[in-house]
Amino acid sequence: MTRVAMTVNGKAVTGEVEGRTLLSSFLREDLHLTGTHVGCDTSQCGACVVHVNGQAVKACTMFAAEAEGADVTTIEGMANADGSLGTIQQAFQDFHGLQCGFCTPGMVMSAAALLKENPTPTEAEVRAYLEGNICRCTGYHNIVKAILAASGQSVPAVAAE
Amino acid sequence: MPDGGIGASSKRREDLRFLTGRGKYTDDINLQGQAHAHFVRSDVAHGRINSIDTSAASSMPGVIRIFTATDFEGVGGIPCGWQVTDRFGEVMQEPKHPILAEGKVRHVGDPICVVVADTLEQARDAADALVINITPLEAVLDMKAALAEGATKVHDDLNSNLCYDWGFVEENREAVAEAINNAHHVTTLELRNNRLVANPMEPRVAVGDYDFSTDEHTLYTTSQNPHVIRLLMGAFVLGIPEHKLRVVAPDVGGGFGAKIYHYAEEAFCTFAAKTIGRPVKWTSTRSEAFISDAHGRDHVTKIELALDENGKFLALRTDTHANMGAYLSTFAPSIPTWLHGTLMAGNYTTPLIYVNVKAVFTNTVPVDAYRGAGRPEATFQLERVVDKAAREMGIDPVELRRRNFITEFPYATPVAVEYDTGDYHATMDKLLQISDHAGFEGRAALSKANGKLRGFGIAHYIEACGIAPSNLVGQLGARAGLYESATVRVNATGSISVMTGSHSHGQGHETSFAQVVADMIGVDENQIDIVHGDTSKTPMGMGTYGSRSIAVGGSAMVRATEKIINKAKKIAAHLMEAAEGDIELKDGQFSVAGTDKSVAWGDVTLAAYVPHNYPLEDIEPGLEETAFYDPANFTYPSGAYGCEVEVDPATGKVTVVAFSAADDFGNIINPMIVEGQVHGGLAQGIGQAMIENCAYDDQGQLLSGSYMDYAMPRADDLPMFTVDHSSITPCTHNPLGVKGCGEAGAIGSPPALVNAVVDALQRAGHNVTHIDMPLSPDRVWAAMNS
């Protein structure tokens, strides 16, 4: 077992992990941050996307030990300080960008990474960026709209097209 | 009236927990002292188990116990919930479906044994030390070969690999043959409806728990219908009476059919928890899901449509081989029969129809309902053959459909169902408008100038959903009722809890169901909570599938709320010393007609629980009512779908440039949620038609066994959709006038897409009349260059 220490959502955390323990397992099982979801075993689905030192990372592709000393943000750390939904989260609710909610944490984390990199993406750029996030419920239509809206671009209101 | 209510796009309350990581999915449940189960599955499609040596594995660190089939002697197999009677009056062949393989393995993924250990890693490590000796047998894969004389049998104790040979309507068989033989024109099409994997993003999970102090079992599971699981597993598998078995399906991350069925892993975890005296948890990996979740579709069909010289449909005959896989999943026999044959009239007045379905056992994963379930298979073949007929006869595909549309309702089809309402010309008109059909030629010219082939494809669908009614489905072989239930519990201060037998796994019931009750009483939606997914909290209900939640579950909730309102009016009449018949309820206020006397909702609810001034001689205190609703008929949503594609002639790559859907769902509760349902259905239908395919090799190995190989639609595979639901013919037999919207998108879109690609190729002079799904670049390119 290896001792790891990192910052998760602004709090210092430590844990004892096996070398093979994935960051996704450490977050879910040791820290009980179950908002990070695991939807596949081949690093395709993106439900486990978190930010590590500001970069979007699939938490199932990284060992917990590799995150030693890192600054990690998960979906649990995305709301405003007063607990209200952050801009991207609010846009997902306003534009019905989620249904079952399982892919949603990864979608929000990827969207945040995209908008940091490209503050006003085109529809095509949003779709291309989401290549690593699979949603089975929404057909992506409202996810794309939510991300465009979160970027401050004008988007037709939901159920008004 | 507060904001919200029926017709409002109320934002979803469940989103707050999903967007902040606070959803409670089954894998988020970890019980004190739980052990972990790892299923060891067959890696051959068909084989005889000679021996299982657990000795080395049993002594590995952390191993608690290793289970094999011998541990389940005396325990029932996984039951099938529907018995089909064949065209000779004989019941289907129904093999045993053991929890763990007994003597033989019958598909890759068939569970052989389970290692239960302190940690999942220990269970997996120990599984590697098992020595399982299996003699491989010939794998039965091709359905027609499986039915040949002398074919290897999947089940040695059955007569053959034929589950049933179903004819519908059998009495029409000769008349249909005669009409086809004598027709002016017959269009024939052979096609395959490709096998799919439902792939809800949350893999299945089961956590079993047992309380020795109360003799109560609890199963937490990723299910669309926890009461159905309790009934099937309790009564038929483990012999646990309902009052000692609680099934909880908390937040469930999508279902699409695959989470309807009772699976071996659920029974195993429930059984093992008592056996080892600790909670037992199993979480599927995605790779495991591909070989253990029921698959969908997989029909091979020949369809013939007879027409007169004016293009009127005279008769339709279809001959389908439907793959059941190795065992009968819960509702598998009903899908190619009663959910498929009954839809073969489509939107048309075809007077004579005969459907033959041969259901076949093969050494593949069991096949059952996947979004649409039988209705996509019916719609695909029908809308493809109509399109082909139009091209053969030189009639515009829209015009040919219009010539044959049903226009008078109710309409009794020759395939046993009666459509209550619809207006197919209206949905077709709406589609042509929203898709700018008139501007297509201009867009096609632009595509041509860019070196691309553009095509437009149309499909019109009907579906029978709101599945229901019990007496009818009972006659058709269902071993269950298909009603729905709701309990409306009004609390003393006026807030309301609605306990529904429907289940939400993405559909947003917590929001839309609350809108209905809020609208009926005239209180704010936030005063209403929707409780679902726990058999200990909700009345016996049949769950969510077949686009039935609002039509059946919503109607039960309306009935229970009506009872509440009737009783509340009695109390209000007493409080205001007025006649009950004079009491009106509006915006949460009870008033006496023609006077200014009124009492508020909260006054009446308080009186119900603090009955100091109360008509105790007439009615009981309290305000809680339950209703079970069993509908008189299915509901019949319909719609016109239009797909516009561009084909790259150099590569065969198809791009969906536009997709429009004009649906008639009857009345709409929450337009935002309805549109979201259509979007998702379209994505799954376009996925089926464009990229998704569940492929086996000739040894029965699943080639598309992970997201590396099974093409899930990504954001950049799909366009923005144009959807409309303003064509409304309300359902005539449920109190909300609703029809259901969950499956439409997946039903109507595959034929529209294939019709569009055929259109694009024919416009470019290619003599291509059909390409089997998925329309991958290699298949399209080969069709163009053959």
Side-chain angles (χ1 to χ4, degrees):
Chain A
M1 301 289 269
T2 309
R3 183 176 165 79
V4 290
M6 64 188 84
T7 304
V8 178
N9 300 329
K11 286 186 203 157
V13 298
T14 58
E16 296 282 327
V17 297
E18 287 188 74
R20 62 183 171 179
T21 302
L22 299 171
L23 178 59
S24 52
S25 305
F26 179 67
L27 292 170
R28 287 182 56 78
E29 286 153 31
D30 293 60
L31 303 184
H32 307 293
L33 293 170
T34 55
T36 298
H37 294 156
V38 177
C40 76
D41 47 7
T42 52
S43 296
Q44 314 272 295
C45 82
C48 68
V49 171
V50 298
H51 296 173
V52 177
N53 296 328
Q55 299 285 312
V57 170
K58 288 178 174 170
C60 74
T61 62
M62 185 169 175
F63 293 116
E66 290 179 283
E68 170 67 26
D71 185 7
V72 177
T73 306
T74 71
I75 188 68
E76 288 89 345
M78 294 299 282
N80 296 325
D82 66 358
S84 61
L85 295 180
T87 305
I88 295 169
Q89 293 168 314
Q90 188 61 57
F92 269 68
Q93 187 190 28
D94 291 346
F95 289 87
H96 191 29
L98 66 154
Q99 291 182 25
C100 81
F102 197 81
C103 77
T104 307
M107 285 287 179
V108 170
M109 301 310 288
S110 285
L114 163 65
L115 296 185
K116 192 172 152 196
E117 208 175 279
N118 180 358
T120 51
T122 63
E123 180 198 328
E125 285 170 343
V126 173
R127 289 183 184 276
Y129 193 87
L130 294 181
E131 192 272 339
N133 291 81
I134 304 176
C135 170
R136 193 56 152 169
C137 293
T138 65
Y140 304 96
H141 181 111
N142 285 338
I143 291 175
V144 174
K145 279 176 65 176
I147 296 171
L148 292 172
S151 76
Q153 301 183 70
S154 174
V155 175
V158 73
E161 290 164 283
Chain B
M1 176 69 206
D3 292 342
I6 292 173
S9 285
S10 299
K11 290 180 193 172
R12 298 198 331 165
R13 54 180 69 181
E14 43 273 81
D15 292 357
L16 295 176
R17 64 178 189 272
F18 295 151
L19 281 163
T20 53
R22 295 193 185 94
K24 189 83 164 173
Y25 298 87
T26 311
D27 193 45
D28 302 339
I29 294 170
N30 292 297
L31 302 179
Q32 187 71 30
Q34 78 187 2
H36 294 265
H38 174 72
F39 279 72
V40 179
R41 299 175 185 279
S42 177
D43 57 7
V44 298
H46 195 191
R48 195 163 303 286
I49 302 171
N50 301 316
S51 62
I52 302 171
D53 181 354
T54 62
S55 53
S58 295
S59 58
M60 297 275 286
V63 172
I64 299 164
R65 183 159 169 172
I66 297 171
F67 291 82
T68 64
T70 56
D71 293 296
F72 289 90
E73 284 168 7
V75 171
I78 301 298
C80 178
W82 203 296
Q83 184 177 62
V84 165
T85 301
D86 75 8
R87 65 193 189 88
F88 309 105
E90 300 291 325
V91 298
M92 67 188 189
Q93 294 205 86
E94 187 172 356
K96 184 177 181 190
H97 185 179
I99 292 173
L100 296 176
E102 294 174 354
K104 269 179 87 173
V105 288
R106 296 186 175 86
H107 66 87
V108 170
D110 207 359
I112 301 167
C113 49
V114 188
V115 182
V116 179
D118 290 330
T119 71
L120 182 57
E121 289 76 13
Q122 288 169 333
R124 286 179 178 166
D125 288 345
D128 288 341
L130 287 165
V131 182
I132 301 173
N133 184 301
I134 294 179
T135 302
L137 302 170
E138 185 192 13
V140 178
L141 297 164
D142 179 80
M143 287 191 276
K144 289 177 184 170
L147 297 182
E149 193 71 30
T152 298
K153 287 195 287 187
V154 177
H155 295 276
D156 299 334
D157 53 340
L158 299 187
N159 299 328
S160 67
N161 293 316
L162 180 68
C163 178
Y164 55 74
D165 178 356
W166 185 75
F168 183 66
V169 174
E170 190 61 22
E171 295 72 36
N172 288 348
R173 187 185 177 91
E174 294 307 318
V176 169
E178 192 180 327
I180 288 173
N181 289 341
N182 298 329
H184 167 78
H185 185 87
V186 178
T187 296
T188 303
L189 185 58
E190 295 188 37
L191 52 84
R192 170 180 284 274
N193 203 295
N194 43 329
R195 179 184 276 241
L196 303 175
V197 181
N199 272 309
M201 292 314 298
E202 178 205 31
R204 287 190 298 116
V205 182
V207 187
D209 192 19
Y210 179 70
D211 185 334
F212 282 89
S213 65
T214 60
D215 188 31
E216 287 175 358
H217 299 260
T218 303
L219 170 68
Y220 301 90
T221 183
T222 47
S223 176
Q224 300 176 217
N225 32 238
H227 277 285
V228 174
I229 302 307
R230 185 176 72 158
L231 181 65
L232 291 175
M233 184 176 79
F236 298 102
V237 186
L238 299 179
I240 304 169
E242 283 103 319
H243 70 296
K244 294 294 183 190
L245 176 57
R246 174 184 173 206
V247 177
V248 184
D251 286 328
V252 172
F256 315 115
K259 292 175 182 170
I260 297 172
Y261 324 117
H262 176 40
Y263 287 98
E265 295 87 356
E266 295 172 319
F268 175 81
C269 290
T270 307
F271 177 89
K274 183 175 180 182
T275 308
I276 68 162
R278 288 170 61 175
V280 175
K281 180 173 186 174
W282 168 76
T283 300
S284 176
T285 64
R286 180 59 59 184
S287 300
E288 206 173 3
F290 272 98
I291 53 172
S292 67
D293 289 6
H295 293 174
R297 315 282 192 260
D298 206 352
H299 287 193
V300 175
T301 294
K302 177 183 177 187
I303 183 168
E304 298 156 282
L305 175 66
L307 305 93
D308 74 9
E309 56 277 19
N310 298 316
K312 283 290 280 184
F313 302 163
L314 302 173
L316 182 79
R317 178 166 60 196
T318 168
D319 186 343
T320 286
H321 286 70
N323 204 333
M324 293 286 102
Y327 304 99
L328 291 178
S329 178
T330 307
F331 288 120
S334 69
I335 310 307
T337 51
W338 299 109
L339 292 178
H340 167 252
T342 51
L343 269 294
M344 287 312 307
N347 305 92
Y348 311 114
T349 56
T350 317
L352 283 167
I353 297 174
Y354 181 72
V355 181
N356 181 234
V357 178
K358 295 180 182 70
V360 185
F361 293 112
T362 61
N363 291 116
T364 61
V365 171
V367 180
D368 205 326
Y370 166 60
R371 199 172 196 165
R375 292 151 290 172
E377 295 90 321
T379 304
F380 183 70
Q381 52 176 301
L382 182 60
E383 289 301 295
R384 282 293 299 123
V385 82
V386 167
D387 225 67
K388 186 165 184 253
R391 293 172 192 286
E392 287 175 357
M393 295 186 72
I395 302 172
D396 178 78
V398 174
E399 170 59 21
L400 183 65
R401 287 177 169 85
R402 286 191 189 276
R403 282 185 201 175
N404 290 282
F405 273 162
I406 296 160
T407 55
E408 291 179 13
F409 297 88
Y411 177 81
T413 72
V415 277
V417 289
E418 183 175 285
Y419 303 160
D420 58 345
T421 55
D423 185 345
Y424 310 143
H425 286 293
T427 40
M428 185 66 93
D429 290 343
K430 180 57 73 174
L431 172 71
L432 298 179
Q433 178 204 331
I434 64 174
S435 63
D436 186 22
H437 187 249
F440 173 77
E441 293 298 341
R443 297 189 295 275
L446 279 176
S447 294
K448 194 173 177 185
N450 292 325
K452 300 283 172 61
L453 317 179
R454 202 173 186 105
F456 191 96
I458 283 208
H460 209 290
Y461 77 89
I462 181 122
E463 63 164 320
C465 60
I467 291 178
S470 294
N471 57 1
L472 177 62
V473 298
Q475 288 168 29
L476 306 182
R479 290 164 167 164
L482 284 173
Y483 50 84
E484 197 46 84
S485 64
T487 295
V488 176
R489 176 179 300 154
V490 181
N491 301 306
T493 58
S495 66
I496 301 166
S497 299
V498 178
M499 279 62 76
T500 173
S502 294
H503 187 275
S504 183
H505 28 279
Q507 296 90 341
H509 295 167
E510 290 168 39
T511 301
S512 58
F513 276 34
Q515 287 178 250
V516 173
V517 176
D519 197 273
M520 291 178 70
I521 298 174
V523 295
D524 192 275
E525 287 168 29
N526 293 322
Q527 273 192 268
I528 301 162
D529 255 1
I530 305 297
V531 179
H532 64 97
D534 185 341
T535 59
S536 73
K537 294 180 179 169
T538 61
M540 172 74 180
M542 300 309 291
T544 289
Y545 40 83
S547 307
R548 70 194 300 273
S549 288
I550 199 68
V552 191
S555 296
M557 186 174 65
V558 169
R559 292 282 188 250
T561 306
E562 286 169 351
K563 292 185 193 180
I564 291 285
I565 291 171
N566 287 340
K567 184 171 178 183
K569 281 183 174 177
K570 285 189 172 71
I571 302 168
H574 179 87
L575 293 176
M576 292 187 282
E577 297 178 341
E580 187 190 328
D582 292 337
I583 304 297
E584 293 172 347
L585 171 61
K586 187 163 184 284
D587 296 348
Q589 289 281 325
F590 295 91
S591 58
V592 182
T595 75
D596 59 358
K597 280 207 259 185
S598 73
V599 288
W601 169 252
D603 297 327
V604 171
T605 61
L606 192 63
Y609 289 95
V610 188
H612 296 166
N613 174 19
Y614 194 85
L616 286 166
E617 61 282 6
D618 294 330
I619 51 175
E620 297 169 6
L623 203 48
E624 175 168 332
E625 299 285 352
T626 295
F628 283 72
Y629 178 82
D630 204 317
N633 193 353
F634 297 94
T635 61
Y636 299 95
S638 61
Y641 284 11
C643 180
E644 205 161 311
V645 297
E646 271 191 345
V647 180
D648 184 337
T651 63
K653 181 174 168 50
V654 175
T655 303
V656 178
V657 290
F659 203 104
S660 305
D663 291 292
D664 174 2
F665 294 132
N667 294 332
I668 303 285
I669 308 301
N670 183 320
M672 175 190 83
I673 288 176
V674 166
E675 291 186 7
Q677 290 293 306
V678 175
H679 295 158
L682 292 176
Q684 291 182 0
I686 293 170
Q688 170 171 25
M690 286 257 292
I691 56 177
E692 290 183 45
N693 197 37
C694 185
Y696 280 95
D697 75 3
D698 60 5
Q699 304 294 306
Q701 294 293 333
L702 186 60
L703 298 173
S704 51
S706 79
Y707 287 160
M708 310 273 280
D709 303 298
Y710 185 94
M712 292 284 279
R714 264 53 169 202
D716 59 359
D717 291 316
L718 298 164
M720 284 295 188
F721 306 116
T722 304
V723 302
D724 177 277
H725 41 77
S726 64
S727 302
I728 294 173
T729 60
C731 173
T732 58
H733 58 80
N734 65 45
L736 291 166
V738 293
K739 296 185 175 180
C741 64
E743 297 161 296
I747 293 171
S749 53
L753 193 151
V754 178
N755 288 346
V757 172
V758 170
D759 183 61
L761 300 188
Q762 290 200 0
R763 282 168 178 274
H766 297 286
N767 182 26
V768 175
T769 57
H770 180 70
I771 306 172
D772 267 334
M773 300 186 290
L775 302 191
S776 52
D778 62 314
R779 289 186 183 189
V780 176
W781 190 90
M784 292 168 68
N785 292 283
S786 63

